[in-house]
Amino acid sequence: MDKKSRIDLKKVPNHVAVIMDGNGRWAKGQGMNRIFGHRNALTAVRETVNGALSVGTKAVTLYAFSTENWNRPKAEVTALMTLLVNSLINELDTFMQNDVKVNAIGDIQSLPKKAQKTLQNVVQKTSNNRSLVLTFALSYGAREEIVNTIKNISKKVVNNELSIEEIDEKIINNHLYTFNLPDVDLMIRTSGEQRISNFLLWQMAYAELYFTNILWPDFRKEHFYDAIIDYQNRERRFGKTSEQITSVEE
Ligand code: IPE
Ligand code: IPE
Ligand code: MG
C-alpha cells in the first residue's frame, strides 16, 4: 500500500518543525566538502513542502541556521547565506503556484543585508498565500528568542502598557517570534542525532519527537509520510490519563 493512503487526513499535525541535519556527513560520504551537502539540501526542502501540502499540514518550520551556526568556518557561513538568497529567489514562483506563505523567525537583523532584503521581498510577495505557512528559522536560537521576548515584555511594563499581573502564557506566546503560529505538534530531526539543539523550546513543550537516521539531503516525501504515520500512532495525553483521552465524555 502506498504510504500516503495510510495517513488519516483528519488527524494530521497542524505544525511540523524540522531540524534539517546531516548535510555535512552526506557530503563526506560522497567524498565531497560540506558545502556540497548544503547545495544538495534543496530537494529535501521541496519534498517536505510538497508532502505537507498533500496531507494538509498548515505550518512547517525549518531550522535552517542556528545562532550557534555562526561559529562555523567563515567560508561555510558565507556559502549558507548565498544559498539561502539564491534558493529564495529561485523558489518564489513555486511558492506562488503552491499557495505557500513564507515567514522567517530568528535574529533576522544579524543576517547579511542581501539576505534580509531577499527574505523581506519573498515574505511580502507571498503574504496572501494560505495553503501552508513555511517558516525559515534563521539565526534562530530558542534562548535568544526568549531573551528577546523578555526584553519586549519588560519595555511594555516600563511604559505602563502592561502590568506584571497581566503576564501569562498567552502574553509570552504573543511576544515570541512564532506569535502567529500554533504550537508544534511534531518535530522531525534527521541524521540520527537525538537532541533539540536550541530549537523552539517553548513551542515544543508538548510536541511528539521523531528521529530518523536519514541524512537531510536524502529526505523525501515518503520519509515525511513515515513521520506522520508514526505520529498518528501515538497517544497525546497532555497530562491526562489514557482513559480520559479515549472515552467520549472525557
Ligand atoms: C545541517 O547539516 C545544516 C545546518 C546546520 C546549516 P549539518 O551541516 O549540520 O551537517 P552535519 O551534521 O555536519 O552532518
Ligand atoms: C541544528 O543542527 C541546526 C540546524 C539544523 C540549522 P546542528 O548540526 O547545528 O546541531 P548540533 O550542533 O549537532 O547540535
Ligand atoms: Mg549537524
Side-chain angles (χ1 to χ4, degrees), residues 61 93 97 158 186 204 217 229:
T61 300
D93 285 348
Q97 278 157 27
V158 169
L186 170 65
M204 292 206 296
I229 293 163

Side-chain angles (χ1 to χ4, degrees), residues 19-21 25 63-66 69 72 189 193 195 197:
I19 303 182
M20 312 185 286
D21 199 12
R25 278 162 283 169
Y63 205 4
F65 193 87
S66 73
N69 289 151
R72 290 193 177 192
R189 183 171 190 150
E193 307 300 349
R195 54 178 170 261
S197 301

Side-chain angles (χ1 to χ4, degrees), residues 4-165:
K4 202 190 147 191
S5 57
R6 287 171 52 204
I7 294 173
D8 178 353
L9 294 177
K10 292 193 291 296
K11 275 173 48 186
V12 294
N14 258 323
H15 186 181
V16 178
V18 187
I19 303 182
M20 312 185 286
D21 199 12
N23 297 352
R25 278 162 283 169
W26 183 88
K28 201 172 174 195
Q30 316 265 322
M32 303 295 276
N33 68 8
R34 301 180 50 82
I35 294 164
F36 181 76
H38 300 314
R39 276 202 212 107
N40 280 277
L42 197 60
T43 307
V45 173
R46 288 198 193 111
E47 292 266 330
T48 303
V49 170
N50 290 336
L53 284 165
S54 80
V55 299
T57 284
K58 286 294 181 194
V60 170
T61 300
L62 302 175
Y63 205 4
F65 193 87
S66 73
T67 46
E68 288 73 25
N69 289 151
W70 289 114
N71 299 320
R72 290 193 177 192
K74 198 168 175 283
E76 184 173 346
V77 172
T78 309
L80 281 165
M81 293 301 152
T82 309
L83 263 170
L84 168 73
V85 171
N86 294 342
S87 311
L88 283 171
I89 294 171
N90 291 336
E91 296 301 305
L92 180 57
D93 285 348
T94 315
F95 293 144
M96 295 311 291
Q97 278 157 27
N98 292 337
D99 198 32
V100 171
K101 175 181 173 149
V102 174
N103 179 39
I105 57 170
D107 183 15
I108 302 301
Q109 271 146 41
S110 69
L111 298 175
K113 284 279 169 298
K114 181 102 201 283
Q116 289 187 47
K117 276 221 166 78
T118 311
L119 208 52
Q120 206 179 18
N121 180 48
V122 176
V123 166
Q124 190 258 319
K125 291 240 164 73
T126 61
S127 62
N128 291 322
N129 294 346
R130 287 291 173 267
S131 293
L132 172 74
V133 181
L134 178 63
T135 301
F136 291 94
L138 293 162
S139 190
Y140 176 88
R143 288 182 171 182
E144 193 281 327
E145 178 181 40
I146 290 167
V147 169
N148 182 268
T149 298
I150 292 174
K151 281 186 182 162
N152 287 331
I153 292 175
S154 304
K155 276 181 209 155
K156 289 192 179 170
V157 171
V158 169
N159 294 335
N160 291 319
E161 290 166 46
L162 193 70
S163 71
I164 288 177
E165 289 68 35

